[in-house]
């Protein structure tokens, strides 16, 4: 038994080294990903539930790793956050999303609000507001076409600092929304001091919406809270007509999910704008 225990230990130590090595290799690769042009953005349409029209898109980053192929953000954003590469990656995402929004407008499409995810370390960057202003100016994009998505946990860490920064962004004309709402621990009292225009119902509450009375209650509560605080409310992860119908019936304003479209390369967005009657 002793022998086995020892072997097990070695086995685990070996496994841990492998993962740690992998992690360090990915972190190292991430440092070059921006310069080596290995990142790209896909865009997922956001649909207005009343009109059935696409009014915006969310930019979602993808990493084309030279050896490992496409890596999803859940696997590298946390590493980039840990190593600090997220600041450079986030800046690239912001600039690229603004450039693309401008390109769609220049091509004569109805203007879309482009949403960009902002991670905690990026939000804490002293130069965030200046970086956003630069990105808009360089893209010649009006601030009203940019939205930033932040999570509850991000803004609740230091409410005072987050409020100040968000007020600066709001003063520039940028919309702010709270992502994954309901999964963190926001103080509802604090929520009203933030200049937020939209709450996003997390997809974990949408998944079982057709069957789970609890999830139905949560979704309805978030919709009603949003409206009482004069915000709009969007549901993410909408995959079925049942989910959409439930959300529409209870007054949810907007939706995003595979039912309408997966995230797609920018070239496919114009076609989706045209088929956007009755979702
Ligand atoms: P998120 O911001 O909550 O984005 C929603 C995720 O749900 C996306 O995964 C999207 O592809 C996926 N999704 C969309 N519709 C559906 C649906 O109907 N069903 C299901 N099951 N999933 C759906 P993705 O693209 O893998 O991104 C994962 C997370 O990575 C994002 O979650 C966000 O937190 C982060 N992320 C992505 N891009 C960026 C970025 O540019 N910057 C930062 N900081 N984070 C990013
Ligand atoms: Ca998001
Ligand atoms: Ca989300
Ligand atoms: Ca999420």
């Amino acid at each position: 038994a002793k022998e086995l225990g020892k072997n097990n230990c070695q086995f685990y130590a070996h496994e841990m080294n492998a993962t740690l090595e992998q992690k360090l290799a990915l972190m190292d690769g991430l440092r070059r990903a921006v310069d080596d042009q290995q990142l790209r953005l896909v865009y997922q349409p956001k649909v207005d539930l009343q009109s059935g029209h696409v009014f915006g898109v969310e930019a979602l980053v993808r990493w084309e790793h030279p050896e490992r192929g496409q890596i999803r953000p859940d696997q590298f954003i946390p590493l980039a956050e840990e190593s600090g590469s997220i600041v450079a990656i986030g800046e690239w995402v912001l600039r690229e999303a603004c450039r693309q929004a401008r390109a769609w407008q220049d091509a004569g499409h109805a203007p879309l609000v482009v949403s960009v995810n902002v991670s905690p370390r990026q939000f804490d960057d002293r130069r965030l507001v200046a970086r956003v202003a630069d990105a808009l100016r360089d893209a010649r994009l009006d601030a009203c076409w940019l939205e930033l998505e932040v999570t509850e946990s991000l803004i609740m860490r230091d409410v005072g600092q987050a409020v100040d920064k968000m007020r600066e962004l709001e003063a520039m004309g940028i919309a702010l929304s709270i992502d994954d709402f309901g999964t963190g621990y926001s103080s509802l009292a604090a929520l009203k001091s933030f200049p937020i225009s939209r709450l996003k119902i997390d997809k974990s509450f949408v998944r079982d919406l057709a069957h789970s009375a609890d999830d139905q209650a949560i979704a309805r509560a978030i919709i009603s809270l949003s409206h009482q605080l004069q915000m709009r409310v969007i549901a993410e992860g909408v995959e079925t007509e049942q989910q959409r119908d439930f959300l529409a019936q209870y007054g949810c304003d907007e939706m995003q999910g595979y039912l309408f479209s997966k995230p797609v390369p920018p070239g496919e967005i114009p076609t989706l704008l045209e088929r956007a009657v009755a979702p």
Side-chain angles (χ1 to χ4, degrees):
K2 212 172 184 181
E3 200 70 1
L4 187 71
K6 195 181 160 202
N7 282 340
N8 266 347
C9 269
Q10 277 170 348
F11 174 72
Y12 286 124
H14 175 77
E15 285 284 282
M16 272 165 62
N17 281 337
T19 7
L20 184 63
E21 245 165 61
Q22 252 175 19
K23 184 174 153 180
L24 293 174
L26 282 179
M27 281 178 162
D28 195 46
L30 274 171
R31 266 188 281 278
R32 290 185 310 267
V34 173
D35 287 341
D36 293 356
Q37 304 186 334
Q38 293 166 5
L39 300 181
R40 59 185 190 85
L41 294 182
V42 289
Y43 296 87
Q44 185 175 42
K46 296 185 174 189
V47 178
D48 184 294
L49 276 165
Q50 286 222 313
S51 71
H53 281 98
V54 176
F55 67 93
V57 291
E58 178 176 6
L60 294 156
V61 71
R62 298 290 179 264
W63 182 13
E64 303 287 354
H65 191 279
E67 285 113 42
R68 299 181 47 178
Q70 195 175 92
I71 306 184
R72 294 191 70 99
D74 285 332
Q75 287 170 272
F76 69 86
I77 292 290
L79 296 180
E81 181 73 18
E82 200 177 322
S83 71
S85 303
I86 191 67
V87 177
I89 292 173
E91 169 137 37
W92 178 84
V93 169
L94 184 65
R95 300 186 73 87
E96 175 59 19
C98 290
R99 190 200 60 74
Q100 183 61 60
R102 180 71 217 186
W104 282 318
Q105 288 188 20
D106 286 347
H109 301 294
L112 293 169
V113 176
V114 176
S115 307
V116 169
N117 292 285
V118 175
S119 74
R121 197 137 162 190
Q122 200 186 346
F123 187 81
D124 289 343
D125 176 9
R126 253 184 329 107
R127 298 199 51 241
L128 174 75
V129 177
R131 287 178 197 273
V132 172
D134 285 354
L136 288 168
R137 196 199 48 227
D138 291 351
R140 293 173 296 114
L141 186 71
D142 195 289
C144 70
W145 303 114
L146 179 66
E147 176 180 71
L148 300 179
E149 297 191 4
V150 296
T151 59
E152 281 180 279
S153 43
L154 182 159
I155 59 174
M156 291 302 158
R157 293 168 314 164
D158 180 346
V159 170
Q161 192 222 282
V163 168
D164 288 348
K165 205 165 251 189
M166 288 170 78
R167 291 229 172 102
E168 273 186 79
L169 292 162
E170 186 206 24
M172 286 166 59
I174 292 161
L176 293 154
S177 76
I178 302 207
D179 206 353
D180 303 343
F181 189 77
T183 61
Y185 302 89
S186 24
S187 136
L188 295 182
L191 203 57
K192 66 169 195 236
S193 51
F194 289 104
I196 297 157
S197 50
R198 183 177 272 118
L199 294 184
K200 189 182 265 194
I201 303 174
D202 189 66
K203 57 180 180 294
S204 61
F205 303 121
V206 174
R207 195 180 48 226
D208 301 323
L209 205 50
H211 316 287
S212 158
D214 287 347
D215 289 342
Q216 292 178 0
I218 292 168
R220 291 176 66 175
I222 298 176
I223 292 167
S224 137
L225 174 71
S226 306
H227 289 160
Q228 293 190 43
L229 294 175
Q230 326 294 333
M231 299 173 192
R232 289 181 72 79
V233 57
I234 184 166
E236 71 174 6
V238 179
E239 297 182 355
T240 69
E241 286 179 6
Q242 262 179 315
Q243 292 165 344
R244 183 211 42 210
D245 292 346
F246 181 91
L247 290 159
Q249 184 188 345
Y250 286 101
C252 186
D253 303 303
E254 303 152 357
M255 69 160 191
Q256 187 180 346
Y258 298 162
L259 175 65
F260 186 79
S261 170
K262 297 200 167 191
V264 296
E268 290 177 34
I269 289 293
T271 329
L272 290 171
L273 298 181
E274 274 154 39
R275 86 155 157 81
V277 237

